[in-house]
């Protein structure tokens, strides 16, 4: 099962740190952006519970906060995995079977594009041309490129490597 948002309880102690920060800048103008930055620093992402909390505590409309959080790419509303998998769906990769690569990864991880695995290890994304079309079809995990994935049977082993690293850490 995918985990897009983990529920953060109302009594999560981290809200106290956030409230203290909001109090410390309460007399300043235009602080939505820096409060959201602080909140993301504390929680790692900005789930709806956090946005609602800020809205209540700071007395600003939720829609305003949501607008800022979705406008700036520095913010993420869903929990990110430790590793980001980007499957290139650019033309060169697409004609060489990128959709099958994507389907295989989705099938193994049991998540859709934009989701994070339950264990928090992987977030799956699409990409538009990763700049190495000669190696198509291509998948990137963090900064590492995996090329020529025409043979789909390579994929489970690649993903297992990350799982094993996790176990050995
Ligand atoms: S189209 Fe996939 S790397 Fe260029």
């Amino acid at each position: 099962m995918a985990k897009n948002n983990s529920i953060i309880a109302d009594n999560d102690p981290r809200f106290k740190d956030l409230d203290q920060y909001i109090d410390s800048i309460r007399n300043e103008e235009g602080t939505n952006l820096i409060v959201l930055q602080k909140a993301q620093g504390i929680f790692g992402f900005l789930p709806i519970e956090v946005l609602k909390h800020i809205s209540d505590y700071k007395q600003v409309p939720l829609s305003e906060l949501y607008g800022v959080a979705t406008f700036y790419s520095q913010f993420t509303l869903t929990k990110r995995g430790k590793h980001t998998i980007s499957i290139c769906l650019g033309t060169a990769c697409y004609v060489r079977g990128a959709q099958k690569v994507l389907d295989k990864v989705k099938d193994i991880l049991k998540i859709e594009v934009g989701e994070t695995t339950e264990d928090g290890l992987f977030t799956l994304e699409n990409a538009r041309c990763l700049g190495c079309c000669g190696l198509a079809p291509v998948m990137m995990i963090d900064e590492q490129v995996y090329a020529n994935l025409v043979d789909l049977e390579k994929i489970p082993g690649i993903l297992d490597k990350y799982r094993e690293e996790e176990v050995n850490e």
Side-chain angles (χ1 to χ4, degrees), residues 1 3 5 8 10 12 16 19 22 27 36 53 59 61 66 69 77 84 90-91 97 99 110 119 121 130 136 144 152:
M1 274 298 283
K3 182 164 59 176
N5 280 325
I8 295 178
D10 284 348
D12 188 306
K16 228 183 201 153
D19 293 348
I22 293 171
N27 296 327
L36 290 176
H53 179 91
Q59 294 286 293
Y66 190 78
L77 277 64
T84 299
T91 308
Q99 186 63 50
K110 309 274 184 280
D119 60 6
L121 198 54
L130 295 169
Q144 176 74 45
L152 299 176

Side-chain angles (χ1 to χ4, degrees), residues 39-59:
Q40 182 158 289
I42 291 173
F43 293 96
F45 67 122
L46 296 175
I48 192 69
E49 308 91 79
V50 171
L51 294 179
K52 278 185 184 155
H53 179 91
I54 298 170
S55 170
D56 289 344
Y57 197 76
K58 195 171 180 293
Q59 294 286 293

Side-chain angles (χ1 to χ4, degrees), residues 128-141:
R128 292 279 163 207
C129 191
L130 295 169
C132 41
C133 311
L135 305 174
V138 167
M139 164 172 85
M140 223 168 147
I141 302 184

